[in-house]
Amino acid sequence: MSTWSYLLAATLLTTPPDVPEPPIPADEWPAVQEALQTLAVEWEILDSREVRYVLARAEDFENDLNLLRRRYQDLRDAPKLADCQRFPDRNTVNELLAFNRAYRRYLDARQSMEHDRCWCVRLALKETDCLYSVWDSVRDARSEYYYITVRRQALKRLQTMLGPEAYGSGELPPHVPLWRFSEN
């Protein structure tokens, strides 16, 4: 890949979406296509499995370029995929989420029986649902069958929910509101 193609690809990808571009001359298309696809994969805005479809045909250049530009804009402040390695694997997260949903069903049943404490049960339900959202984002980030862009969006959501410090240290909250559990 030539330096010119690489610079052109970087310029094209970082331009805001929907800025019209002239068509790429047919003799230059293969080099530009390779540069755009390579850089987009490297920047984690294109999954390697998508290379067969995105920028595969010169006549789709404008639409595909806008897709990648939107992804670049959406994900430029998102964590890189390597960050997901600091969190538990998908199977472990699935088990924790199953327990979360079972606890939620228990709380739902309690709510209809404990009218005098329904505000407390509603609060516990809200906490349980918030924790589910965190752990669901972890699961999405750790799901290798999702495209890289979906996984990075999950990491971005997770970073927002946890805050930069907790996210940076890989500190996750419990999967259920453990503070609601008491010994009798």
Side-chain angles (χ1 to χ4, degrees):
M1 178 168 41
S2 72
T3 305
W4 175 84
S5 297
Y6 194 79
L7 288 172
L8 177 62
T11 302
L12 287 171
L13 291 172
T14 56
T15 300
D18 300 318
V19 172
E21 296 294 337
I24 304 294
D27 60 325
E28 294 176 20
W29 170 248
V32 173
Q33 174 194 36
E34 179 188 2
L36 281 167
Q37 288 176 332
T38 301
L39 196 57
V41 168
E42 186 179 307
W43 286 359
E44 296 185 345
I45 58 172
L46 181 67
D47 193 279
S48 58
R49 295 170 288 184
E50 292 179 289
V51 170
R52 296 181 288 174
Y53 313 109
V54 178
L55 295 170
R57 300 175 337 150
E59 53 269 18
D60 296 332
F61 172 69
E62 190 173 340
N63 290 333
D64 289 347
L65 181 61
N66 281 321
L67 168 78
L68 293 174
R69 285 173 170 174
R70 280 190 288 282
R71 287 181 180 181
Y72 175 78
Q73 296 294 321
D74 292 343
L75 296 173
R76 70 176 163 206
D77 61 342
K80 293 294 185 184
L81 188 61
D83 279 12
C84 74
Q85 296 303 316
R86 72 178 76 179
F87 302 113
D89 66 89
R90 187 174 148 272
N91 290 332
T92 301
V93 175
N94 278 337
E95 290 174 17
L96 297 174
L97 286 174
F99 185 81
N100 177 289
R101 294 295 84 180
Y103 181 64
R104 190 184 197 296
R105 286 189 298 276
Y106 164 76
L107 291 173
D108 271 338
R110 271 188 60 193
Q111 189 174 8
S112 63
M113 295 184 293
E114 297 182 31
H115 298 288
D116 59 328
R117 296 177 34 94
C118 68
W119 64 270
C120 187
V121 176
R122 275 197 296 265
L123 182 58
L125 279 165
K126 185 176 179 178
E127 293 168 344
T128 303
D129 288 342
C130 286
L131 292 169
Y132 181 88
S133 294
V134 169
W135 284 91
D136 188 43
S137 291
V138 173
R139 177 176 52 188
D140 287 350
R142 294 293 299 200
S143 296
E144 293 180 10
Y145 52 83
Y146 287 155
Y147 283 162
I148 197 168
T149 52
V150 173
R151 296 175 71 192
R152 287 188 64 212
Q153 286 168 343
L155 288 171
K156 186 176 177 178
R157 278 193 317 274
L158 187 60
Q159 186 178 47
T160 300
M161 287 187 274
L162 297 179
E165 196 172 304
Y167 177 85
S169 64
E171 215 175 293
L172 292 169
H175 57 289
V176 291
L178 295 176
W179 50 91
R180 297 277 176 198
F181 290 59
S182 62
E183 291 186 36
N184 291 329

